[in-house]
């Protein structure tokens, strides 16, 4: 079995050790009072004035050990659908774009509910896309219910599991309530999870109120959590691959500790969405060489820690379905598979994750 490696074992251990040290000495700022109170009761050192939590190494190591190495994912009917972990790679659509590339006219525009239904019907039939995501936003409904609306449309047109999340601090409970309609009890919801929700710390080393509340709600409702820092390499995190890997590892592990102290054994995924920040163009290519190195590097860290992995790869940064999109998508998907990343989010996406294309989704499949 071919396996692409970027880091040697000594460097992997050093990166993890420095991440432990960063968490122990600097910690993370948490802007959610409820999460702060929960972590204080769990025994973590908390500075109430700075709202900064630090993590003793022993607690972090224990949390990693208590998180599952392989996660089972079930469909809406309660049947085992797939697993996340080990050497298995699941390709899923990327999310969450603000626009779509209209396949009929070739024009970029905001999406409507009818576009989303069309997307679900297509992705549900794609043979090589494991399960759908809530890939883009629609602007024809009140944004206060937008999170739940996207999930509702997926569940109305597909029996498969889904990758989703909430953009508001109050979004997860109503989304969980919809999924609970397909389970007999709360315990069955936890035993047979049907969704992966994204929670994003704010680099560097900060957890905002929305992500913090979402993480708490997901763990309590039995929803799989993927911790996805959005690293701007060279802007908010170090420009070097090793320095950025230390920062990302620390941010993800802070989320792993949170999930395990709320409920030991909760399923959690080590994710990321790095971009190589371009100072002149003020853009952050996610298909740049620096970003691809980071993806492949943390895939090895995940394997070392025995935590399932996620990455935003197999997408294009250009604006159209052209040779650039094909080249960037193919190289990213190829590296993701060789690196044994478990959940690869990218199919259908263009323009720095700002535009979704149904045509590209079919090409990518």
């Amino acid at each position: 079995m071919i396996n692409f490696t970027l880091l040697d074992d000594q460097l992997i251990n050093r990166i993890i050790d420095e991440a432990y040290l960063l968490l122990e000495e600097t910690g993370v700022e948490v802007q959610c009072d409820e999460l702060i109170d929960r972590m204080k009761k769990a025994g973590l050192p908390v500075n109430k004035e700075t709202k900064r939590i630090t993590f003793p190494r022993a607690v972090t190591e224990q949390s990693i050990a208590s998180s599952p190495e392989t996660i089972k994912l079930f469909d809406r009917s309660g049947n085992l659908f797939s697993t996340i972990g080990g050497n298995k790679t699941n390709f899923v659509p990327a999310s969450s774009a603000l626009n779509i590339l209209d396949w009929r006219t070739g024009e970029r525009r905001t999406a409507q509910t009818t576009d989303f239904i069309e997307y679900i019907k297509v992705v549900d039939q794609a043979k090589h896309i494991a399960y759908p995501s809530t890939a883009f936003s629609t602007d024809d409904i009140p944004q206060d219910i937008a999170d739940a609306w996207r999930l509702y449309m997926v569940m109305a047109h597909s029996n498969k599991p889904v990758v989703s999340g909430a953009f508001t601090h109050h979004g997860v409970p109503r989304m969980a309530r919809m999924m609970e309609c397909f389970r007999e009890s709360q315990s069955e919801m936890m035993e047979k999870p049907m969704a992966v929700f994204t929670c994003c710390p704010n680099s560097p080393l900060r957890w905002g109120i929305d992500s913090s509340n979402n993480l708490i709600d997901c763990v309590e409702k039995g929803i799989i959590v993927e911790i996805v820092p959005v690293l701007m390499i060279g802007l908010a995190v170090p420009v070097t691959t090793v320095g950025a890997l230390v920062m990302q590892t620390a941010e993800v592990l802070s989320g792993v500790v949170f999930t395990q102290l709320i409920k030991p054994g909760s399923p959690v995924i080590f994710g990321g969405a790095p971009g190589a920040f371009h100072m002149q163009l003020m853009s952050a290519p996610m298909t740049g060489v620096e970003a691809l190195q980071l993806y492949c590097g943390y895939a090895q860290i995940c394997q070392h820690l025995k935590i399932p992995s996620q990455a935003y790869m197999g997408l294009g940064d250009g604006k159209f379905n052209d040779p650039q999109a094909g080249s960037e998508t193919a190289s990213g998907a190829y590296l993701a598979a060789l690196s044994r990343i478990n959940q690869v989010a990218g199919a259908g996406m263009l323009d720095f994750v700002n535009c979704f294309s149904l045509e590209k989704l079919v090409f990518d499949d």
Side-chain angles (χ1 to χ4, degrees), residues 13 20 33 37 88 113 124 198 200 205 211 239 274 288 307 314:
N13 286 319
Y20 285 148
D33 291 337
D37 292 340
K88 184 178 179 63
T113 295
D124 203 47
T198 303
C200 301
L205 300 171
S211 293
V239 71
I307 301 176

Side-chain angles (χ1 to χ4, degrees), residues 100 109-117 136-140:
I100 64 167
R109 61 173 174 81
T110 56
Q112 309 297 306
T113 295
T114 52
D115 297 311
F116 201 96
I117 294 172
F136 52 88
S137 301
T138 57
D139 72 345
D140 57 344

Side-chain angles (χ1 to χ4, degrees), residues 295-341:
Y295 286 121
C296 296
Y298 78 71
Q300 290 183 253
I301 292 171
C302 294
Q303 292 163 7
H304 183 88
L305 296 175
K306 298 182 179 180
I307 301 176
S309 57
Q310 179 271 355
Y312 273 85
M313 301 178 76
L315 43 74
D317 283 330
K319 297 182 182 297
F320 305 101
N321 289 306
D322 56 11
Q324 176 187 344
S327 175
E328 291 173 344
T329 300
S331 59
Y334 185 66
L335 284 171
L338 286 179
S339 299
R340 304 290 182 258
I341 292 173

